[in-house]
Amino acid sequence: MRRLKQIKLTYREKTGTSYKIVWEESTDGKLWEKHLLESSEYPRAELEEAVDDMGHFLVEVCALRLTAEQARRDVDVTRVVADYRSVRRVAISADVFLPSSYTIALNGPAMPCQPQGDELDRAFAKLEEECFRYIDGDRAQQKLFDEDEEGET
């Protein structure tokens, strides 16, 4: 059993985006072992989309007056953290680009997920799935090799 604890994206001009993913694993559901992966390898487009989709919830909970298009364009998610105490809670951080050409770092509150029901829970489940694919080595480069191998046979 695995569960995502955090994904953090850091952009550096020289090296590009690095991905820091923290997750926990357990065999019995009681004792959780923490793991960390830091990589600058390009992810699948689906991971980037899943991270971007989390920005919608930050905009909504902070009551920012942005359209869906503006949120997608002007909200750059930098971190998503999950807490699993009694109910899973998700906190989202992002850089928000303002019309005045300024940027603010916005840290949202921990939002509770309703199991198998609400939109936040489904979006987080998709993010978690994509993070585990990245951890397991399913990345943009791997996809290119798979396509090349299929064409050769």
Side-chain angles (χ1 to χ4, degrees):
M1 176 186 312
R2 301 191 292 186
R3 63 186 185 187
L4 179 66
K5 290 291 288 182
Q6 173 180 256
I7 178 170
K8 183 177 180 182
L9 295 84
T10 305
Y11 176 77
R12 292 185 185 96
E13 195 170 318
K14 290 185 180 184
T15 59
T17 303
S18 70
Y19 300 84
K20 177 181 177 182
I21 302 174
V22 179
W23 75 98
E24 294 178 328
E25 290 187 10
S26 175
T27 54
D28 61 5
K30 294 178 185 174
L31 295 173
W32 291 90
E33 187 175 277
K34 190 181 256 187
H35 298 272
L36 166 71
L37 170 74
E38 286 188 70
S39 177
S40 293
E41 287 188 38
Y42 293 112
R44 293 169 10 105
E46 292 85 350
L47 175 56
E48 292 177 334
E49 290 170 12
V51 169
D52 289 344
D53 288 346
M54 299 304 287
H56 159 76
F57 300 101
L58 181 64
V59 166
E60 195 173 280
V61 76
C62 293
L64 299 176
R65 294 182 182 163
L66 298 175
T67 64
E69 181 183 321
Q70 287 173 315
R72 178 128 345 250
R73 184 186 65 230
D74 298 337
V75 176
D76 191 9
V77 175
T78 56
R79 192 170 99 161
V80 177
V81 178
D83 178 355
Y84 295 90
R85 289 190 189 134
S86 57
V87 171
R88 178 170 57 197
R89 295 180 181 276
V90 177
I92 303 164
S93 300
D95 292 332
V96 179
F97 303 99
L98 303 175
S100 60
S101 298
Y102 291 107
T103 303
I104 60 169
L106 187 59
N107 297 311
M111 299 172 280
C113 290
Q114 302 303 319
Q116 287 110 23
D118 73 352
E119 193 179 344
L120 176 60
D121 185 62
R122 288 190 299 273
F124 184 79
K126 179 66 177 168
L127 175 65
E128 186 174 50
E129 175 188 338
E130 290 301 326
C131 284
F132 286 132
R133 290 183 77 160
Y134 187 83
I135 290 164
D136 294 337
D138 190 3
R139 302 178 188 160
Q141 293 87 350
Q142 183 64 41
K143 199 170 188 177
L144 291 174
F145 291 126
D146 290 345
E147 290 171 2
D148 288 346
E149 289 172 5
E150 287 175 11
E152 291 175 5
T153 58

